[in-house]
Amino acid sequence: MGSHAAARPLSAGRSGPLSGRMRVPGDKSISHRSLMLGALAVGETTIDGLLEGDDVLNTANAMRALGATIVREETGRWRVHGVGVGGLLEPTHVVDFGNAGTGVRLCMGLVASQPIAVTFTGDASLVKRPMGRVLDPLRQMGVEVLARSGDRLPLTIRGAAAPMPVTYRVPMASAQVKSAVLLAGLGTPGLTTVVEPVFTRDHTERMLAGFGAAISIDTDRDGVRTIRLEGRPELKPQAITVPSDPSSAAFPIVAATIVPGSDIVVEGVLMNPARIGLIETLLEMGAAIEVVAERQTGGETLADLRVRSAELKGVTVPASRAPSMIDEYPILAVAAATAAGETRMSGLEEMRVKESDRLSAVANGLKVNGVDCTEGPDWLVVRGGPVPGGGLVATHLDHRIAMSFLILGFVAQSPVTVDDAAMIATSFPTFESLMTDAGASFRADEDRAA
Ligand code: S3P
């Protein structure tokens, strides 16, 4: 819900070697899209391995409010009875997306090409995040928006009665903006075209094709992608198995890399090329990550990853890699804090508009734990070495800041405390239990509430 539950401070201290096999939850991006496309298909879509984190549960509730029937079986299988493209109903209450930026932005696209009014809101983090990046193209398609200044939540959208197909060049590296326009294009007659100068995660394109939409992608020699979607298709229900989220796998992968003597296997991780920039970077830093069993499922590549601890060295991460690891810089900065030498990261402007201003949250969290770093407008330099720790980290309602700094605690001389671990449930509800089973130690820390 929009209001935030009581903060739950948590500490992590030095941990012994991490070991064993683990499976992190389903991919968040694919989970949101499975529910949304399932809600627009004609018939029953089944979803196995759905991420049952708060962000995705909010999307499930939103799709119910828009008319889809969604049930979870005891086996963990989800069944979605879709209403068909153009068949969404006007909700009778405000649709609250909690902390979920992807959920709300994609849903705005979904309702844009139907003449229904929908009011969206979110938690204290989401109401601060920019929505204009999605509303701008949707306005071009005919959507009316009633919003407070600066296009922030809460806001009401009235979808277009006669939506117009557009050609939209995405001005920033954002899969959410691309996806919102494509989802709006589903209910729009004719051809909706999205031009994407910088390649971002392509789950929407892959899944639209899987659900039977007519979508084509041309990539020119500079890597600019032109995506064309024919509107008003009949989407065919699918049987989906959601692969494990590489952005969640990032936490145990870095933990096992930096905690001496560790040896773990993370099973069934999605290896989509638009998502594995962190693995590439860790390998350049000297990490011991082995791709054990690569296989194909539902148009995506999956692998088991064996990770053993290794001595890392600092590297320069090219700015061009940012879109393929945008959510992974907080945990990369933690790895960099333990590496020999300097790690330079650039092209980070999008980090400032995530669940928190992640660039400053990371820099401040490192500094209060005695790590030497310098923050620029869109860059970060971390100088690694032994980590003193002992700091209290402000997480600003950001799950990835909380998980990253708890992992820093595993190798710090004194325990690291985060002011609120409650938000971890938005994306990785099993984080603490999986890490504890692998050998990590956490301690609830009521005395250090912010
Ligand atoms: C996402 C896209 C990314 C990412 C977010 C999930 C998606 O955001 O940070 O966690 O599922 O499309 P942007 O597209 O805004 O960069």
Side-chain angles (χ1 to χ4, degrees), residues 28-29 33 102 105 133 173-176 201 326-327 350 354:
K28 185 146 73 84
S29 295
R33 288 159 173 81
T102 308
R105 293 198 180 110
R133 52 178 54 202
S174 173
Q176 293 177 2
R201 65 191 69 193
I326 192 63
D327 292 336
E350 282 295 308
K354 296 295 175 189

Side-chain angles (χ1 to χ4, degrees), residues 133 170-178 196-201 319-320 322-324 326 347 349-350 353-354:
R133 52 178 54 202
V170 184
M172 68 288 287
S174 173
Q176 293 177 2
V177 175
K178 165 178 67 178
E196 186 182 48
V198 178
F199 180 46
T200 63
R201 65 191 69 193
S320 59
S324 67
I326 192 63
E349 59 279 3
E350 282 295 308
V353 290
K354 296 295 175 189

